[in-house]
């Protein structure tokens, strides 16, 4: 591993079921990735792609819950992709790591083994902070991981739509005050939306939305009861069960 990756921490996720190495500084994996995995429905044999995978947190957490998926981890940063590859191996999870810009064209995707209509499930946690209200980090990797441009969401949704098969599903997490952008982006080619607001505290506005959408889906949209991460300065048991891998979010249909 390169000298740039020497300063690492090893952190436990899913109550210790998943141990991941990540850089001590810059963008670090957290609750968003675990919530995304817990909101993603997949079955053994599905081809699943985590776009913008970073160190692999969301995709590997999903693979820990659902054995037998064919997992692809797509990441633009070669060093993070190297970490994702190492994390998959260290956790004995089969995964293909692909160094690729999510905004690349169809030819670049196909050259990386991601042809149109070839994937069953996509999950993604795109950069979503509004640059007009978010002071960018001097750390370039952290800036890329967190701050969106005007076209970020549309470009990522377009990439997901292209590689998903008909009736394949996309699950994403985005900031709650950008829900209009999410709905607009998904209006082209997606339907059967399920939307879960995530609140930091009870009685406060949502800070995130988790959204599941089906390529070509036609069912009415569903707005689910919100998830509250903290109540009276404690984490509710239902949230701990999700974060520690004992439960899933209601965007996952019961088998």
């Amino acid at each position: 591993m390169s000298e740039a990756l020497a300063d690492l921490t090893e952190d436990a996720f899913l109550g210790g079921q998943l141990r991941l190495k990540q850089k001590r500084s810059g963008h670090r994996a957290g609750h968003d990735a675990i919530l995304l995995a817990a909101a993603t429905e997949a079955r053994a044999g599905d081809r699943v792609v985590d776009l913008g995978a970073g160190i692999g947190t969301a995709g590997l957490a999903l693979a820990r819950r659902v054995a037998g998926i064919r997992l692809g981890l797509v990441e633009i940063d070669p060093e993070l992709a190297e970490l994702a590859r190492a994390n998959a191996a260290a956790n004995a999870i089969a995964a293909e790591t692909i160094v690729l810009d999510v905004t690349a064209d169809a030819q670049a995707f196909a050259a990386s083994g991601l042809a149109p209509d070839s994937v069953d499930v996509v999950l993604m946690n795109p950069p979503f902070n509004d640059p007009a209200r978010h002071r960018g980090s001097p750390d370039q990797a952290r800036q890329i991981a967190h701050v969106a441009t005007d076209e970020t969401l549309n470009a990522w949704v377009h990439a997901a739509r292209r590689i998903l098969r008909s009736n394949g599903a996309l699950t994403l997490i985005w900031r709650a005050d950008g829900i209009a952008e999410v709905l607009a982006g998904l209006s082209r080619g997606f339907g059967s939306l399920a939307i879960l607001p995530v609140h930091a505290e009870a009685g406060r506005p949502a800070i995130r939305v988790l959204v599941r959408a089906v390529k070509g889906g036609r069912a009415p949209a569903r707005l689910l009861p919100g998830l509250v991460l903290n109540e009276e300065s404690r984490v509710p048991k239902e949230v701990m069960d999700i974060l520690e891998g004992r439960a899933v979010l209601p965007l996952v249909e019961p088998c």
Side-chain angles (χ1 to χ4, degrees):
M1 188 172 288
S2 67
E3 292 183 7
L5 298 181
D7 189 18
L8 303 175
T9 64
E10 182 174 294
D11 302 289
F13 295 85
L14 300 179
Q17 298 179 63
L18 193 65
R19 300 194 66 86
L20 303 176
K21 290 184 178 180
Q22 58 183 326
K23 293 183 180 182
R24 193 178 301 276
S25 60
H27 174 67
R28 290 176 58 81
H31 287 352
D32 282 1
I34 299 302
L35 293 175
L36 176 61
T40 301
E41 182 175 341
R43 292 176 172 80
D46 281 350
R47 190 179 190 196
V48 178
V49 172
D50 181 356
L51 293 180
I55 63 165
T57 312
L60 295 175
L62 177 60
R64 179 61 81 220
R65 188 184 92 233
V66 185
I69 62 173
R70 295 173 292 145
L71 178 63
L73 304 172
V74 174
E75 172 55 44
I76 189 174
D77 184 329
E79 290 187 334
L80 292 181
E82 183 182 349
L83 271 177
R85 186 179 298 109
N87 282 331
N91 286 276
I93 295 173
E96 178 186 11
T97 304
I98 300 167
V99 179
L100 179 66
D101 184 347
V102 174
T103 66
D105 61 20
Q107 184 176 358
F109 267 73
S112 298
L114 295 171
D117 308 310
S118 66
V119 172
D120 300 292
V121 177
V122 171
L123 64 160
M124 65 187 195
N125 179 9
F128 55 55
N129 284 322
D130 185 344
R133 291 181 293 167
H134 181 83
R135 180 177 295 177
S137 169
D139 184 302
Q140 185 177 10
R142 190 177 181 91
Q143 175 85 353
I144 291 171
H146 284 277
V147 179
T149 69
D150 291 341
E151 294 302 317
T152 296
L153 183 60
N154 283 337
W156 284 53
V157 169
H158 176 70
R161 182 171 56 244
R162 186 172 59 218
I163 62 174
L164 278 168
R165 61 170 177 77
S166 179
N167 294 317
L170 164 65
T171 305
L172 65 89
I173 188 167
W174 193 256
R175 65 179 199 279
D177 65 2
I179 184 63
E181 302 165 49
V182 175
L183 297 178
L186 294 173
S187 67
R188 295 180 290 276
F190 286 98
S192 305
L193 272 60
I195 304 165
L196 175 69
V198 179
H199 303 259
E201 298 176 357
R204 305 282 294 179
I207 57 170
R208 300 283 188 270
V209 285
L210 286 152
V211 182
R212 182 177 187 270
V214 177
K215 182 177 176 178
R218 295 183 178 276
R222 296 182 297 140
L223 181 61
L224 302 170
L227 177 73
V228 179
L229 299 179
N230 294 281
E231 292 180 351
E232 299 179 353
S233 301
R234 66 177 182 84
V235 179
K237 181 181 183 303
E238 66 170 313
V239 175
M240 287 302 302
D241 285 345
I242 291 164
L243 295 178
E244 295 186 356
R246 295 187 295 271
V248 296
L249 287 164
L251 285 80
V252 177
E253 297 289 342
C255 296

